C-alpha cells in the first residue's frame, strides 16, 4: 500500500541528542512544558509530547460567543494521568530525546526523570499505572 505525503505528515528527526531541562508545567497526561537554562533573559520553553502513548483528553469548555461549540468532558483517567505527572515531574530535572517533529512544530519524544536515560521512563510509568495506553497505529503521541 502506497503512502501519501501531505502537509500534516510527520518525519523522523535525525538521531536527536539527549537534552535536559526542568519541568515547568504539565498540560495533560502526555504533554509537558520543559524550560531550559536562562541566558540573559527568560529561559527557553518547549512542549514535549510523550510519544507512543495515549492518555485521556482533559475537559474543555465551550468557546464564548460560538453557539455551535459545546463543553467536552474529561475522558476516563485524564485528570488522574495529569495529576500523576504533576506530582512526579513539576520542578524536577528531566532529560528527553525528540523522535518526531511535525510540520507544524509539535515535538514527540521520550522523557526520563533525572540527568540521563537510566532514570525512570515517564511513558512506561504512565502505562504501568494504567493511566495511558500504548499506541499501536503509529509512533506519534496523543492525537
Amino acid at each position: 500500500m502506497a503512502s501519501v505525503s501531505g502537509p500534516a505528515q510527520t518525519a523522523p528527526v535525525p538521531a536527536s541528542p539527549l537534552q535536559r531541562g526542568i519541568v515547568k508545567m504539565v498540560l495533560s497526561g502526555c504533554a509537558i512544558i520543559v524550560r531550559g537554562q536562562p541566558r540573559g533573559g527568560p529561559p527557553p520553553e518547549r512542549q514535549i509530547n510523550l510519544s507512543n502513548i495515549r492518555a485521556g483528553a482533559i475537559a474543555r469548555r465551550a468557546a464564548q460567543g460560538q453557539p455551535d461549540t459545546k463543553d467536552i468532558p474529561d475522558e476516563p483517567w485524564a485528570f488522574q494521568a495529569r495529576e500523576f505527572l504533576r506530582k512526579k515531574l513539576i520542578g524536577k530535572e528531566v532529560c528527553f530525546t525528540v523522535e518526531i517533529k511535525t510540520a507544524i512544530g509539535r515535538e514527540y519524544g521520550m522523557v526520563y526523570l533525572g540527568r540521563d536515560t537510566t532514570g525512570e521512563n515517564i511513558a512506561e510509568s504512565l502505562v504501568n499505572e494504567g493511566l495511558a495506553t500504548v499506541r499501536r497505529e503509529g509512533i506519534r503521541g496523543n492525537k
Side-chain angles (χ1 to χ4, degrees):
M1 174 154 83
S3 76
V4 177
S5 290
Q9 291 290 323
T10 60
V13 173
S16 175
L18 193 62
Q19 301 174 57
R20 291 188 187 92
I22 304 293
V23 177
K24 175 184 176 184
M25 185 184 318
V26 175
L27 301 174
S28 69
C30 49
I32 62 174
I33 301 290
V34 178
R35 70 169 173 80
Q37 292 296 322
R39 291 190 176 96
E45 296 179 357
R46 299 169 77 173
Q47 177 177 332
I48 306 298
N49 299 284
L50 300 174
S51 63
N52 302 321
I53 66 166
R54 170 79 170 92
I58 301 290
R60 289 188 172 188
R61 294 252 183 211
Q64 292 288 335
Q66 293 184 358
D68 57 337
T69 62
K70 34 186 180 174
D71 290 348
I72 299 171
D74 275 346
E75 289 183 0
W77 303 106
F79 180 79
Q80 291 85 347
R82 184 181 67 185
E83 290 304 302
F84 176 81
L85 289 183
R86 283 172 42 98
K87 290 176 184 172
K88 185 175 285 296
L89 297 178
I90 294 288
K92 303 278 177 57
E93 184 174 21
V94 295
C95 65
F96 60 94
T97 58
V98 175
E99 298 175 346
I100 299 282
K101 187 169 186 174
T102 65
I104 60 172
R106 188 172 281 183
E107 296 178 301
Y108 293 88
M110 299 302 296
V111 177
Y112 302 90
L113 191 56
R115 297 185 58 82
D116 56 33
T117 58
T118 61
E120 178 180 351
N121 181 319
I122 300 304
E124 282 182 10
S125 296
L126 279 165
V127 172
N128 290 339
E129 290 291 322
L131 299 173
T133 57
V134 175
R135 283 182 58 94
R136 302 271 184 231
E137 65 272 3
I139 188 170
R140 275 196 22 206
N142 59 333
K143 288 196 179 174

